[in-house]
Amino acid sequence: MCHPAWGRALTAARRLNDFTQLRRVRDRIDREYARPLDLEPLARDLNLSPEQLSHKFHLAFGQSPYDYVMTRRVDRAMLLLRRGDLSVPEVCATVGCTSLNAFSTRFTERAGIPPTAYQRRTATTMPTGTAPRKPIRRQEAPAPEPRPAQRSEPSAKSS
């Protein structure tokens, strides 16, 4: 390299390329969340080992590929349970989980209540014929607007 800035530019370009490839992996996981997660073919497409893919995915998105796919499955399960036309084991199978116990544990971790309680609570509060809404991703709450300072009026002194 002739100039130090070229090295930095090359590094930045590689990072951008890596991130673009990782977004493609994430998009593929989004499309195929109900299928078993196999890192081998995903890593092979990027010329990485499964361990390298998992490490880079975690650095880019803050969670492992397995945690990400489970989050997607739980989000989808919440939507299906709100509809109320499937039982919990049917929802578990529909979203691609093979173990009802593992599914219930992950669902409870994410939603705060077990799937059966979630279904009972949301099925009774949702009017019939209402289309379920798309799950909302957690976002930071907007900062509250500053309030103008209130002046205290001097009290009348009695003499």
Side-chain angles (χ1 to χ4, degrees):
M1 297 271 155
C2 296
H3 195 275
W6 294 350
R8 287 190 298 271
L10 183 61
T11 301
R14 285 184 184 142
R15 284 186 186 144
L16 182 60
N17 186 41
D18 287 350
F19 189 70
T20 302
Q21 290 177 334
L22 290 170
R23 275 197 331 232
R24 287 186 189 130
V25 168
R26 187 187 63 186
D27 291 345
R28 185 169 167 189
I29 291 172
D30 284 342
R31 284 191 310 273
E32 301 174 2
Y33 71 90
R35 299 177 73 195
L37 179 64
D38 186 11
L39 290 182
E40 287 284 336
L42 295 173
R44 195 176 323 115
D45 291 346
L46 301 178
N47 295 321
L48 297 172
S49 71
E51 294 80 17
Q52 289 172 319
L53 173 61
S54 184
H55 179 73
K56 287 185 176 202
F57 192 95
H58 190 275
L59 286 176
F61 302 115
Q63 56 187 350
S64 70
Y66 177 76
D67 288 338
Y68 183 78
V69 77
M70 285 305 295
T71 299
R72 296 290 300 136
R73 288 175 178 172
V74 170
D75 287 346
R76 180 68 179 158
M78 291 170 83
L79 180 81
L80 294 171
L81 289 171
R82 278 197 301 263
R83 278 191 359 204
D85 59 340
L86 297 174
S87 67
V88 173
E90 290 171 327
V91 168
C92 174
T94 301
V95 298
C97 292
T98 54
S99 167
L100 182 58
N101 189 27
F103 168 74
S104 295
T105 301
R106 292 302 290 246
F107 189 96
T108 304
E109 286 172 1
R110 178 139 168 81
I113 58 174
T116 51
Y118 182 85
Q119 186 176 34
R120 266 186 266 123
R121 181 179 294 172
T122 57
T124 57
T125 59
M126 202 169 138
T128 316
T130 304
R133 293 184 304 180
K134 187 176 182 180
I136 299 172
R137 298 235 179 221
R138 294 183 185 177
Q139 299 175 354
E140 279 191 35
E145 293 184 28
R147 294 183 180 177
Q150 295 180 358
R151 293 186 212 154
S152 58
E153 305 230 356
S155 58
K157 294 183 183 177
S158 52
S159 315

Short mmCIF file of all heavy atoms in Angstrom, two decimals, residues 109-154:
data_model
loop_
_atom_site.label_atom_id
_atom_site.label_comp_id
_atom_site.label_asym_id
_atom_site.label_seq_id
_atom_site.Cartn_x
_atom_site.Cartn_y
_atom_site.Cartn_z
N GLU A 109 -39.59 -16.56 27.95
CA GLU A 109 -38.49 -15.61 28.12
C GLU A 109 -38.77 -14.32 27.35
O GLU A 109 -38.52 -13.24 27.85
CB GLU A 109 -37.18 -16.20 27.59
CG GLU A 109 -36.56 -17.26 28.45
CD GLU A 109 -35.37 -17.94 27.78
OE1 GLU A 109 -35.01 -17.55 26.63
OE2 GLU A 109 -34.82 -18.86 28.38
N ARG A 110 -39.29 -14.45 26.15
CA ARG A 110 -39.49 -13.27 25.29
C ARG A 110 -40.79 -12.52 25.61
O ARG A 110 -40.80 -11.31 25.65
CB ARG A 110 -39.50 -13.72 23.83
CG ARG A 110 -39.73 -12.61 22.87
CD ARG A 110 -38.85 -12.73 21.66
NE ARG A 110 -39.25 -11.84 20.61
CZ ARG A 110 -38.93 -10.55 20.56
NH1 ARG A 110 -38.21 -10.03 21.51
NH2 ARG A 110 -39.32 -9.80 19.57
N ALA A 111 -41.88 -13.24 25.81
CA ALA A 111 -43.18 -12.60 26.00
C ALA A 111 -43.50 -12.32 27.46
O ALA A 111 -44.39 -11.51 27.75
CB ALA A 111 -44.28 -13.47 25.39
N GLY A 112 -42.82 -13.00 28.37
CA GLY A 112 -43.08 -12.77 29.79
C GLY A 112 -44.15 -13.67 30.38
O GLY A 112 -44.32 -13.72 31.60
N ILE A 113 -44.90 -14.36 29.53
CA ILE A 113 -45.90 -15.32 30.00
C ILE A 113 -45.86 -16.55 29.10
O ILE A 113 -45.45 -16.46 27.95
CB ILE A 113 -47.34 -14.71 30.01
CG1 ILE A 113 -47.73 -14.21 28.63
CG2 ILE A 113 -47.46 -13.61 31.02
CD1 ILE A 113 -49.17 -13.74 28.55
N PRO A 114 -46.32 -17.71 29.61
CA PRO A 114 -46.32 -18.93 28.78
C PRO A 114 -47.27 -18.77 27.59
O PRO A 114 -48.21 -17.97 27.61
CB PRO A 114 -46.83 -20.01 29.74
CG PRO A 114 -46.65 -19.46 31.10
CD PRO A 114 -46.73 -17.97 30.98
N PRO A 115 -47.04 -19.57 26.53
CA PRO A 115 -47.87 -19.43 25.33
C PRO A 115 -49.35 -19.68 25.56
O PRO A 115 -50.19 -19.00 24.97
CB PRO A 115 -47.28 -20.44 24.35
CG PRO A 115 -46.26 -21.21 25.07
CD PRO A 115 -45.97 -20.53 26.36
N THR A 116 -49.71 -20.62 26.44
CA THR A 116 -51.13 -20.87 26.68
C THR A 116 -51.80 -19.68 27.35
O THR A 116 -52.92 -19.30 26.98
CB THR A 116 -51.32 -22.13 27.55
OG1 THR A 116 -50.49 -22.03 28.71
CG2 THR A 116 -50.98 -23.39 26.80
N ALA A 117 -51.10 -19.06 28.31
CA ALA A 117 -51.66 -17.88 28.97
C ALA A 117 -51.73 -16.72 27.98
O ALA A 117 -52.70 -15.95 27.98
CB ALA A 117 -50.80 -17.50 30.18
N TYR A 118 -50.72 -16.58 27.12
CA TYR A 118 -50.72 -15.53 26.11
C TYR A 118 -51.91 -15.71 25.17
O TYR A 118 -52.62 -14.75 24.85
CB TYR A 118 -49.41 -15.57 25.31
CG TYR A 118 -49.31 -14.50 24.27
CD1 TYR A 118 -48.84 -13.23 24.60
CD2 TYR A 118 -49.69 -14.73 22.95
CE1 TYR A 118 -48.76 -12.23 23.65
CE2 TYR A 118 -49.60 -13.74 22.00
CZ TYR A 118 -49.14 -12.49 22.35
OH TYR A 118 -49.07 -11.51 21.40
N GLN A 119 -52.16 -16.94 24.75
CA GLN A 119 -53.28 -17.20 23.85
C GLN A 119 -54.61 -16.88 24.52
O GLN A 119 -55.48 -16.26 23.92
CB GLN A 119 -53.26 -18.66 23.38
CG GLN A 119 -54.31 -18.95 22.32
CD GLN A 119 -54.23 -20.36 21.80
OE1 GLN A 119 -53.90 -21.28 22.55
NE2 GLN A 119 -54.51 -20.53 20.53
N ARG A 120 -54.77 -17.30 25.79
CA ARG A 120 -56.02 -17.01 26.51
C ARG A 120 -56.22 -15.51 26.65
O ARG A 120 -57.32 -15.00 26.43
CB ARG A 120 -56.00 -17.67 27.89
CG ARG A 120 -56.65 -19.03 27.89
CD ARG A 120 -56.77 -19.61 29.29
NE ARG A 120 -55.58 -20.44 29.50
CZ ARG A 120 -54.71 -20.29 30.48
NH1 ARG A 120 -54.86 -19.37 31.39
NH2 ARG A 120 -53.66 -21.08 30.59
N ARG A 121 -55.17 -14.81 27.02
CA ARG A 121 -55.27 -13.37 27.26
C ARG A 121 -55.56 -12.60 25.98
O ARG A 121 -56.42 -11.73 25.95
CB ARG A 121 -53.97 -12.85 27.88
CG ARG A 121 -54.03 -11.36 28.17
CD ARG A 121 -52.76 -10.86 28.78
NE ARG A 121 -52.59 -11.43 30.11
CZ ARG A 121 -51.50 -11.30 30.84
NH1 ARG A 121 -50.48 -10.61 30.36
NH2 ARG A 121 -51.42 -11.84 32.03
N THR A 122 -54.86 -12.92 24.89
CA THR A 122 -55.03 -12.15 23.66
C THR A 122 -56.26 -12.59 22.88
O THR A 122 -56.86 -11.77 22.19
CB THR A 122 -53.79 -12.26 22.76
OG1 THR A 122 -53.53 -13.63 22.47
CG2 THR A 122 -52.60 -11.61 23.42
N ALA A 123 -56.64 -13.85 22.98
CA ALA A 123 -57.82 -14.31 22.24
C ALA A 123 -59.08 -13.68 22.81
O ALA A 123 -60.02 -13.41 22.07
CB ALA A 123 -57.91 -15.83 22.27
N THR A 124 -59.13 -13.43 24.11
CA THR A 124 -60.33 -12.84 24.70
C THR A 124 -60.38 -11.34 24.51
O THR A 124 -61.44 -10.75 24.49
CB THR A 124 -60.40 -13.15 26.21
OG1 THR A 124 -59.21 -12.66 26.83
CG2 THR A 124 -60.55 -14.63 26.46
N THR A 125 -59.21 -10.70 24.35
CA THR A 125 -59.21 -9.24 24.20
C THR A 125 -59.31 -8.80 22.74
O THR A 125 -59.58 -7.65 22.47
CB THR A 125 -57.92 -8.62 24.80
OG1 THR A 125 -56.79 -9.18 24.13
CG2 THR A 125 -57.84 -8.89 26.28
N MET A 126 -59.08 -9.71 21.82
CA MET A 126 -59.11 -9.35 20.40
C MET A 126 -60.50 -9.63 19.82
O MET A 126 -60.98 -10.74 19.88
CB MET A 126 -58.07 -10.19 19.66
CG MET A 126 -57.64 -9.61 18.37
SD MET A 126 -56.22 -10.52 17.81
CE MET A 126 -56.64 -10.64 16.13
N PRO A 127 -61.18 -8.62 19.26
CA PRO A 127 -62.50 -8.83 18.69
C PRO A 127 -62.46 -9.82 17.52
O PRO A 127 -61.49 -9.90 16.81
CB PRO A 127 -62.92 -7.45 18.19
CG PRO A 127 -61.92 -6.49 18.70
CD PRO A 127 -60.73 -7.26 19.15
N THR A 128 -63.55 -10.57 17.37
CA THR A 128 -63.64 -11.54 16.29
C THR A 128 -63.62 -10.84 14.95
O THR A 128 -64.22 -9.79 14.77
CB THR A 128 -64.96 -12.34 16.42
OG1 THR A 128 -65.14 -12.69 17.77
CG2 THR A 128 -64.93 -13.57 15.56
N GLY A 129 -62.89 -11.43 14.00
CA GLY A 129 -62.83 -10.87 12.66
C GLY A 129 -61.79 -9.77 12.49
O GLY A 129 -61.63 -9.23 11.42
N THR A 130 -61.09 -9.45 13.57
CA THR A 130 -60.04 -8.43 13.47
C THR A 130 -58.76 -9.08 13.00
O THR A 130 -58.34 -10.09 13.55
CB THR A 130 -59.80 -7.77 14.85
OG1 THR A 130 -61.03 -7.26 15.32
CG2 THR A 130 -58.78 -6.67 14.74
N ALA A 131 -58.14 -8.50 12.01
CA ALA A 131 -56.88 -9.04 11.52
C ALA A 131 -55.77 -8.72 12.51
O ALA A 131 -55.69 -7.59 13.00
CB ALA A 131 -56.55 -8.43 10.17
N PRO A 132 -54.94 -9.71 12.85
CA PRO A 132 -53.86 -9.43 13.78
C PRO A 132 -52.84 -8.48 13.16
O PRO A 132 -52.63 -8.49 11.95
CB PRO A 132 -53.23 -10.80 14.04
CG PRO A 132 -53.70 -11.67 12.94
CD PRO A 132 -54.98 -11.08 12.42
N ARG A 133 -52.27 -7.65 14.02
CA ARG A 133 -51.28 -6.70 13.53
C ARG A 133 -49.91 -7.35 13.49
O ARG A 133 -49.64 -8.31 14.19
CB ARG A 133 -51.22 -5.49 14.45
CG ARG A 133 -52.48 -4.69 14.41
CD ARG A 133 -52.34 -3.46 15.23
NE ARG A 133 -51.96 -3.82 16.60
CZ ARG A 133 -51.77 -2.96 17.56
NH1 ARG A 133 -51.90 -1.70 17.34
NH2 ARG A 133 -51.44 -3.35 18.76
N LYS A 134 -49.06 -6.79 12.66
CA LYS A 134 -47.69 -7.25 12.54
C LYS A 134 -46.97 -6.95 13.86
O LYS A 134 -47.15 -5.87 14.42
CB LYS A 134 -47.02 -6.51 11.39
CG LYS A 134 -45.66 -7.00 11.04
CD LYS A 134 -45.15 -6.26 9.82
CE LYS A 134 -43.80 -6.79 9.42
NZ LYS A 134 -43.30 -6.10 8.25
N PRO A 135 -46.15 -7.89 14.38
CA PRO A 135 -45.45 -7.62 15.63
C PRO A 135 -44.55 -6.40 15.49
O PRO A 135 -43.91 -6.20 14.46
CB PRO A 135 -44.61 -8.88 15.86
CG PRO A 135 -45.11 -9.89 14.92
CD PRO A 135 -45.86 -9.20 13.85
N ILE A 136 -44.53 -5.61 16.53
CA ILE A 136 -43.73 -4.39 16.52
C ILE A 136 -42.38 -4.70 17.15
O ILE A 136 -42.31 -5.27 18.22
CB ILE A 136 -44.44 -3.27 17.30
CG1 ILE A 136 -45.78 -2.96 16.65
CG2 ILE A 136 -43.56 -2.04 17.41
CD1 ILE A 136 -46.63 -2.01 17.45
N ARG A 137 -41.32 -4.33 16.47
CA ARG A 137 -39.98 -4.50 17.03
C ARG A 137 -39.79 -3.48 18.14
O ARG A 137 -40.29 -2.36 18.08
CB ARG A 137 -38.93 -4.28 15.96
CG ARG A 137 -39.06 -5.29 14.86
CD ARG A 137 -37.77 -5.97 14.71
NE ARG A 137 -37.91 -6.95 13.65
CZ ARG A 137 -37.40 -8.14 13.72
NH1 ARG A 137 -36.74 -8.50 14.77
NH2 ARG A 137 -37.55 -8.99 12.75
N ARG A 138 -39.06 -3.87 19.15
CA ARG A 138 -38.81 -2.96 20.26
C ARG A 138 -37.97 -1.79 19.78
O ARG A 138 -36.99 -1.94 19.08
CB ARG A 138 -38.08 -3.69 21.37
CG ARG A 138 -38.92 -4.75 22.00
CD ARG A 138 -38.21 -5.37 23.13
NE ARG A 138 -39.03 -6.47 23.64
CZ ARG A 138 -38.66 -7.27 24.59
NH1 ARG A 138 -37.50 -7.13 25.16
NH2 ARG A 138 -39.46 -8.23 24.99
N GLN A 139 -38.39 -0.59 20.18
CA GLN A 139 -37.68 0.62 19.83
C GLN A 139 -37.52 1.45 21.09
O GLN A 139 -38.25 1.27 22.06
CB GLN A 139 -38.45 1.43 18.79
CG GLN A 139 -38.66 0.69 17.49
CD GLN A 139 -39.53 1.49 16.53
OE1 GLN A 139 -40.06 2.52 16.89
NE2 GLN A 139 -39.68 0.99 15.33
N GLU A 140 -36.59 2.37 21.05
CA GLU A 140 -36.43 3.25 22.18
C GLU A 140 -37.61 4.21 22.24
O GLU A 140 -38.11 4.65 21.21
CB GLU A 140 -35.15 4.07 22.04
CG GLU A 140 -33.92 3.31 22.45
CD GLU A 140 -32.72 4.23 22.55
OE1 GLU A 140 -32.87 5.40 22.95
OE2 GLU A 140 -31.65 3.76 22.20
N ALA A 141 -38.05 4.49 23.44
CA ALA A 141 -39.13 5.44 23.61
C ALA A 141 -38.61 6.83 23.30
O ALA A 141 -37.45 7.14 23.60
CB ALA A 141 -39.67 5.37 25.03
N PRO A 142 -39.44 7.67 22.69
CA PRO A 142 -38.97 9.02 22.41
C PRO A 142 -38.71 9.78 23.71
O PRO A 142 -39.38 9.56 24.71
CB PRO A 142 -40.13 9.65 21.61
CG PRO A 142 -41.32 8.81 21.90
CD PRO A 142 -40.80 7.44 22.26
N ALA A 143 -37.74 10.65 23.66
CA ALA A 143 -37.40 11.43 24.85
C ALA A 143 -38.55 12.39 25.15
O ALA A 143 -39.13 12.98 24.24
CB ALA A 143 -36.12 12.21 24.61
N PRO A 144 -38.90 12.53 26.43
CA PRO A 144 -40.00 13.44 26.77
C PRO A 144 -39.59 14.89 26.49
O PRO A 144 -38.43 15.25 26.61
CB PRO A 144 -40.23 13.21 28.26
CG PRO A 144 -38.96 12.61 28.77
CD PRO A 144 -38.34 11.89 27.61
N GLU A 145 -40.58 15.67 26.09
CA GLU A 145 -40.31 17.07 25.80
C GLU A 145 -40.07 17.80 27.12
O GLU A 145 -40.76 17.55 28.11
CB GLU A 145 -41.48 17.70 25.05
CG GLU A 145 -41.66 17.13 23.67
CD GLU A 145 -42.78 17.83 22.92
OE1 GLU A 145 -43.04 19.01 23.20
OE2 GLU A 145 -43.38 17.19 22.06
N PRO A 146 -39.10 18.72 27.14
CA PRO A 146 -38.84 19.45 28.39
C PRO A 146 -40.01 20.37 28.72
O PRO A 146 -40.60 20.98 27.83
CB PRO A 146 -37.57 20.24 28.08
CG PRO A 146 -37.49 20.30 26.60
CD PRO A 146 -38.21 19.09 26.07
N ARG A 147 -40.33 20.41 29.98
CA ARG A 147 -41.43 21.27 30.43
C ARG A 147 -40.86 22.63 30.81
O ARG A 147 -39.77 22.72 31.37
CB ARG A 147 -42.10 20.67 31.66
CG ARG A 147 -42.81 19.39 31.37
CD ARG A 147 -43.50 18.92 32.61
NE ARG A 147 -44.20 17.68 32.37
CZ ARG A 147 -44.84 17.02 33.29
NH1 ARG A 147 -44.87 17.47 34.54
NH2 ARG A 147 -45.47 15.91 33.00
N PRO A 148 -41.62 23.69 30.53
CA PRO A 148 -41.14 25.01 30.96
C PRO A 148 -41.16 25.09 32.48
O PRO A 148 -42.01 24.50 33.14
CB PRO A 148 -42.13 25.99 30.33
CG PRO A 148 -43.31 25.19 29.94
CD PRO A 148 -42.86 23.77 29.81
N ALA A 149 -40.20 25.81 33.02
CA ALA A 149 -40.11 25.94 34.48
C ALA A 149 -41.32 26.71 34.98
O ALA A 149 -41.72 27.72 34.41
CB ALA A 149 -38.82 26.66 34.85
N GLN A 150 -41.89 26.22 36.07
CA GLN A 150 -43.05 26.90 36.65
C GLN A 150 -42.57 27.88 37.70
O GLN A 150 -41.71 27.55 38.52
CB GLN A 150 -44.00 25.88 37.28
CG GLN A 150 -44.61 24.94 36.27
CD GLN A 150 -45.53 23.95 36.95
OE1 GLN A 150 -45.67 23.95 38.16
NE2 GLN A 150 -46.17 23.10 36.17
N ARG A 151 -43.12 29.06 37.65
CA ARG A 151 -42.75 30.07 38.64
C ARG A 151 -43.70 29.97 39.82
O ARG A 151 -44.89 29.81 39.64
CB ARG A 151 -42.86 31.46 38.04
CG ARG A 151 -41.85 31.70 36.97
CD ARG A 151 -41.95 33.15 36.55
NE ARG A 151 -41.61 33.19 35.13
CZ ARG A 151 -42.02 34.10 34.31
NH1 ARG A 151 -42.83 35.05 34.71
NH2 ARG A 151 -41.65 34.09 33.05
N SER A 152 -43.13 30.07 40.98
CA SER A 152 -43.99 30.09 42.15
C SER A 152 -44.26 31.56 42.51
O SER A 152 -43.35 32.37 42.57
CB SER A 152 -43.35 29.36 43.32
OG SER A 152 -42.12 29.94 43.63
N GLU A 153 -45.51 31.88 42.71
CA GLU A 153 -45.90 33.25 43.03
C GLU A 153 -45.62 33.52 44.49
O GLU A 153 -45.86 32.67 45.33
CB GLU A 153 -47.39 33.43 42.72
CG GLU A 153 -47.71 33.04 41.30
CD GLU A 153 -48.51 34.11 40.60
OE1 GLU A 153 -48.86 35.09 41.24
OE2 GLU A 153 -48.73 33.95 39.41
N PRO A 154 -45.09 34.69 44.79
CA PRO A 154 -44.83 34.98 46.20
C PRO A 154 -46.14 35.05 46.96
O PRO A 154 -47.13 35.58 46.47
CB PRO A 154 -44.11 36.34 46.19
CG PRO A 154 -44.36 36.91 44.82
CD PRO A 154 -44.72 35.78 43.92
#
